[in-house]
Amino acid sequence: MNTESVVEFLRNVPLLQRLPSSSLKRILQVVVLKRYERGDYVVREDQAVDGVYFVLEGQAQVLGSAGEGSSPEFLLKRFDFFGYGIFGNVYSADVVAVSELTCLLLMSDHCALLETKSICDSDKELETHCLVEHILYMEPLDLNVFRGFTPPKAPTFGKVFGGQLVGQALAAASKTVEFVKMVHNLHSYFLLVGDLDIPIIYEVDRLRDGNNFATRKVNARQKGKTIFTLFASFQREQQCFSHQESTMPHVPAPETLLSRDEMLERRITDPLLPRNYRNKVATQNNAPWPIDIRFCEPNYSTEETKSPPRLKYWFRAKGKLSDDPALHRCVVAYASDLIFACISLNPHRRRGMSVAALSLDHSMWFHRPLRADEWLLFVMVSPTASQNRGFTSAEMFNRKGELVVSLTQEALLKEAVTIKASFGAKL
């Protein structure tokens, strides 16, 4: 096969379509041609894999307990790819040639060529730049009026992200309270879908200013309509009664776990996940989040497979935050909605089903001081769902095992709904 035809082949591989042409040229220079006869093993169970394979000609079958070996989704054909798995470069399955098979192998030493550009342009910028702090910036317009924005690199999910509304509204409220009082609880309500392309106006109502407590109401508005409302209570620090019944579960240390971005990359090349799912994820624009997430129990569930209504992960802000304790609570509020609403959907997922979770309300209680740029364990469970509403409760622990935050949320669960970025009602 000549060079021109190989280049054309690489351009049609879904995994490579997200890369610039310069990366394709470098990949072309280092890939190795591998041929297999029918019945040959390409990847063996419990053995290391050499890199990422691209199926050039022929077919291969994925066999293993995690994958449905007889399903067409696990029959690899031309333009398909596979390699490092979720749990590393050792597989719990076999990949067997079911015909004469030709693959292009990108050896593990060169797999960095598959990486897309990070949020930051350089390692130096990555050390100093903190996107979440930029997202939470509030521009003062009047004594009690602030303006927030949706930066181009902020997570949006097709609409203004709910955590952005919570974090920005709390930031606006915090700017009207004396610095010795910290938020100890908040209750918020999502009313309308926000427009990504216009600023959000946050109007703060000073409901109470006492010696030890202050209460604020914040209305987030776009186009003359209130899209989100937050109530927050602030308290002067006081030391008195203290106890803790909740116990932090035993989980691996965050340093031993893959980041969400790394996990996503491994899911893309893992043959134990359905081919259509991997192709879909590979061609999506998955910009890294401003929050570093490390899942405690990585698995093979997708948006079309059932899984338990619970989740545990470590998280912290990417980059170094300033020492303002109010900022750290705003960042935790922002991060708390990243996956929270989706947990109620887990037991109801099935193949071919299109589902979405829309936050209705979100409440938080801050028990102890915390830093959002240090690891926090987020433990969540959805005990029930009914009437198209899912209820989820959660706890956050610091590395000492101290309970720092408790949370609850109710979300609207919708089937066969496409969430549009247009401005309008959520119900």
Side-chain angles (χ1 to χ4, degrees):
M1 182 174 288
N2 58 45
T3 300
E4 185 176 332
S5 59
V6 174
V7 171
E8 184 63 27
F9 165 80
L10 293 176
R11 286 174 179 165
N12 284 281
V13 175
L15 177 62
L16 305 180
Q17 291 173 357
R18 56 187 181 158
L19 301 178
S21 57
S22 58
S23 294
L24 286 182
K25 293 178 181 178
R26 295 173 65 187
I27 289 173
L28 175 65
Q29 296 171 355
V30 296
V31 288
V32 179
L33 193 68
K34 305 284 285 188
R35 290 190 171 89
Y36 304 90
E37 299 296 327
R38 180 178 179 181
D40 287 349
Y41 285 85
V42 184
V43 175
R44 297 298 299 263
E45 183 177 1
D46 297 328
Q47 292 185 5
V49 66
D50 295 324
V52 176
Y53 295 79
F54 306 102
V55 179
L56 185 62
E57 299 290 348
Q59 297 180 352
Q61 186 75 51
V62 182
L63 305 175
S65 57
E68 302 173 20
S70 60
S71 169
E73 280 290 304
F74 297 93
L75 183 64
L76 304 174
K77 304 176 182 178
R78 181 173 168 85
F79 304 123
D80 287 336
F81 50 91
F82 59 96
Y84 293 108
I86 291 176
F87 296 97
N89 63 341
V90 176
Y91 276 85
S92 57
D94 296 321
V95 178
V96 181
V98 294
S99 67
E100 290 186 357
L101 180 69
T102 304
C103 296
L104 294 178
L105 172 61
L106 182 66
M107 299 294 289
S108 56
D109 294 344
H110 302 290
C111 283
L113 294 173
L114 300 175
E115 296 176 2
T116 53
K117 197 174 185 180
S118 176
I119 285 180
C120 306
D121 294 330
S122 68
D123 293 338
K124 182 177 180 181
E125 185 181 359
L126 185 62
E127 294 173 358
T128 58
H129 179 76
C130 195
L131 176 59
V132 68
E133 193 166 354
H134 177 57
I135 293 172
L136 295 177
Y137 170 74
M138 290 285 98
E139 178 186 1
L141 300 180
D142 204 340
L143 181 63
N144 299 311
V145 183
F146 303 86
R147 180 162 54 193
F149 302 88
T150 304
K153 295 179 181 179
T156 58
F157 312 102
K159 57 187 177 64
V160 176
F161 165 50
Q164 176 183 322
L165 291 170
V166 178
Q168 288 183 340
L170 180 58
S174 300
K175 289 182 177 297
T176 68
V177 179
E178 55 183 320
F179 71 92
V180 295
K181 295 174 183 174
M182 289 289 105
V183 63
H184 68 93
N185 71 50
L186 65 84
H187 305 276
S188 57
Y189 300 90
F190 300 87
L191 306 177
L192 299 172
V193 174
D195 191 326
L196 296 169
D197 299 322
I198 61 176
I200 306 169
I201 304 300
Y202 292 90
E203 300 173 349
V204 182
D205 189 0
R206 304 184 185 220
L207 299 180
R208 177 192 183 192
D209 279 300
N211 289 331
N212 294 314
F213 287 88
T215 307
R216 298 291 185 264
K217 176 185 177 182
V218 183
N219 286 327
R221 298 174 63 83
Q222 283 185 323
K223 300 179 181 178
K225 296 182 179 180
T226 300
I227 65 172
F228 173 83
T229 296
L230 175 138
F231 293 87
S233 181
F234 298 77
Q235 181 188 20
R236 187 187 301 270
E237 184 178 0
Q238 295 174 319
Q239 295 296 333
C240 191
F241 307 110
S242 180
H243 77 274
Q244 177 178 321
E245 283 292 302
S246 295
T247 303
M248 185 174 75
H250 295 287
V251 296
E255 294 84 2
T256 67
L257 301 170
L258 295 174
S259 70
R260 171 192 170 271
D261 299 332
E262 292 170 326
M263 182 63 65
L264 190 60
E265 289 297 314
R266 291 199 177 184
R267 289 179 74 88
I268 291 174
T269 56
D270 196 323
L272 290 180
L273 288 165
R275 181 177 66 248
N276 286 346
Y277 167 82
R278 295 190 290 113
N279 287 342
K280 176 183 176 182
V281 176
T283 54
Q284 287 176 339
N285 182 20
N286 291 301
W289 288 355
I291 305 297
D292 189 354
I293 289 179
R294 308 287 176 97
F295 294 103
C296 297
E297 300 167 345
N299 57 55
Y300 285 93
S301 299
T302 72
E303 73 271 13
E304 295 188 351
T305 56
K306 292 183 179 181
S307 60
R310 62 183 66 93
L311 186 65
K312 297 190 291 288
Y313 63 75
W314 294 97
F315 77 95
R316 66 178 178 184
K318 291 182 178 178
K320 183 69 173 177
L321 296 172
S322 63
D323 291 330
D324 181 4
L327 171 64
H328 287 263
R329 299 195 178 201
C330 292
V331 172
V332 169
Y334 170 88
S336 66
D337 193 42
L338 276 172
I339 308 177
F340 206 11
C342 300
I343 302 305
S344 296
L345 284 172
N346 287 355
H348 310 285
R349 301 182 187 275
R350 65 176 184 270
R351 180 166 297 178
M353 183 180 185
S354 177
V355 292
L358 293 169
S359 303
L360 294 174
D361 61 69
H362 189 91
S363 297
M364 303 179 68
W365 293 263
F366 296 85
H367 307 303
R368 293 172 176 83
L370 54 79
R371 286 195 65 94
D373 52 5
E374 296 179 355
W375 290 112
L376 298 172
L377 180 65
F378 198 174
V379 181
M380 61 192 80
V381 60
S382 175
T384 186
S386 63
Q387 302 297 316
N388 274 10
R389 300 191 312 273
F391 176 77
T392 307
S393 61
E395 296 176 322
M396 292 181 182
F397 299 87
N398 62 21
R399 299 199 69 167
K400 298 178 182 178
E402 296 174 327
L403 179 65
V404 292
V405 183
S406 296
L407 312 88
T408 62
Q409 185 180 88
E410 190 174 44
L412 177 66
L413 310 181
K414 300 286 286 184
E415 180 177 356
V417 171
T418 300
I419 302 175
K420 299 180 180 179
S422 59
F423 182 84
K426 297 176 68 174
L427 305 180

